[in-house]
Amino acid sequence: MTTREHDMAGDVRALTAFVGDYQDVVRRGDLAGFQQAYHPSAVVSFPENGVLQTTTATAFAREVADLVEQGVVVEETTRALEVAVAGDVAVIRVDFHLQIGDEHFEGTDFYSMARLDGTWVITQKLYDMAPVAAT
């Protein structure tokens, strides 16, 4: 294995761990954790009724934190994960199950990532999800 392949394998491991840590941040509604995970200019987008909805990562984090503060369960679990790395950028695809209160969803997140000063951060999150029956 070349040094570059070894580094890429390490990046894939780090980014896989990042997803687990991020899901824990979501579950806890941890605003400081969201700040660490997202670049300050990051956006979160999703299609709704044929229109792309976009918000800041800060507003997205506040919405999740508010739900958790109100006692609402917000639990995301990974169903499948793919990571593609090219130097200091990466894309992570996460097929997920999400519970928000009594509602359940399945969907996919696409995270655009950048390594800045040795730390991976989300620059954009694009997702789609649909309601499913509770399992």
Side-chain angles (χ1 to χ4, degrees), residues 8-102:
M8 191 175 301
D11 289 339
V12 169
R13 283 191 302 276
L15 289 164
T16 299
F18 179 97
V19 170
D21 293 344
Y22 176 77
Q23 288 174 338
D24 186 54
V25 164
V26 170
R27 182 184 54 74
R28 292 182 290 112
D30 179 1
L31 287 174
F34 278 111
Q35 278 187 309
Q36 289 180 319
Y38 285 91
H39 186 270
S41 68
V43 295
V44 176
S45 302
F46 59 96
E48 183 176 65
N49 300 320
V51 177
L52 184 65
Q53 304 295 321
T54 300
T55 188
T56 65
T58 302
F60 176 78
R62 172 50 44 205
E63 184 178 340
V64 173
D66 286 349
L67 287 170
V68 173
E69 284 177 16
Q70 295 166 22
V72 176
V73 171
V74 181
E75 182 81 32
E76 181 178 322
T77 54
T78 299
R79 295 182 303 116
L81 181 113
E82 297 175 33
V83 178
V85 180
D88 287 331
V89 297
V91 175
I92 304 172
R93 175 187 173 146
V94 182
D95 295 327
F96 62 84
H97 177 88
L98 175 65
Q99 178 182 352
I100 302 175
D102 294 332

